Amino acid sequence: QVQLVESGGGLVQPGGSLRLSCAASGSTNSLYAMAWYRQAPGEQRELVAEITIAGIPSGGSTNYADSVKGRFTISRDNAKNTIYLQMNSLTVEDTAVYYCNAEGTGGHSEGYKRFEVWGQGTLVTVSS
């Protein structure tokens, strides 16, 4: 089992910065990717950024939504089983609940079936 806990959300001024954290616990060795999603009121949940956890000896790879490229940075600390989202130049359009996501593969007893887990979310409000 894997559990995710997000932190770091809050109220920030337009143009400001914020850093989100997501700590994974449990069977973290089964994870191969983690990501940040967000969902604004009345909107669909969208992918913000993703990063590989396993399968790459070092460095990893990242992917960003076009709307946040150049402003947001996703990173990981494998020793702490934690990913981060550094958000700069925030705008009111970035206001949303941000969710941490993890993808992995089950063990032998589960037929190595893919699984996905979600954190509870952390609210980011960008307002003047």
Side-chain angles (χ1 to χ4, degrees):
Q1 64 176 13
V2 175
Q3 293 180 322
L4 306 175
V5 179
E6 304 102 329
S7 63
L11 176 65
V12 64
Q13 298 276 107
S17 298
L18 207 61
R19 190 177 80 151
L20 306 182
S21 300
C22 174
S25 61
S27 303
T28 56
N29 287 342
S30 66
L31 301 179
Y32 56 79
M34 295 180 70
W36 288 99
Y37 287 73
R38 68 184 181 187
Q39 186 168 23
E43 302 291 335
Q44 296 291 321
R45 188 171 298 185
E46 64 175 348
L47 175 67
V48 177
E50 60 186 354
I51 187 168
T52 57
I53 302 299
I56 300 177
S58 62
S61 63
T62 59
N63 184 51
Y64 297 91
D66 288 341
S67 60
V68 306
K69 286 181 179 177
R71 299 189 298 120
F72 290 10
T73 303
I74 188 171
S75 61
R76 68 182 184 185
D77 185 337
N78 286 343
K80 297 181 178 180
N81 295 313
T82 299
I83 63 166
Y84 306 91
L85 185 67
Q86 179 65 47
M87 305 183 292
N88 299 326
S89 301
L90 287 162
T91 73
V92 294
E93 288 75 27
D94 296 315
T95 296
V97 176
Y98 285 71
Y99 296 92
C100 184
N101 168 271
E103 297 181 23
T105 304
H108 176 73
S109 64
E110 299 171 313
Y112 303 102
K113 185 179 179 65
R114 175 189 176 277
F115 69 86
E116 182 179 63
V117 297
W118 294 89
Q120 292 300 118
T122 184
L123 177 63
V124 173
T125 303
V126 184
S127 176
S128 59

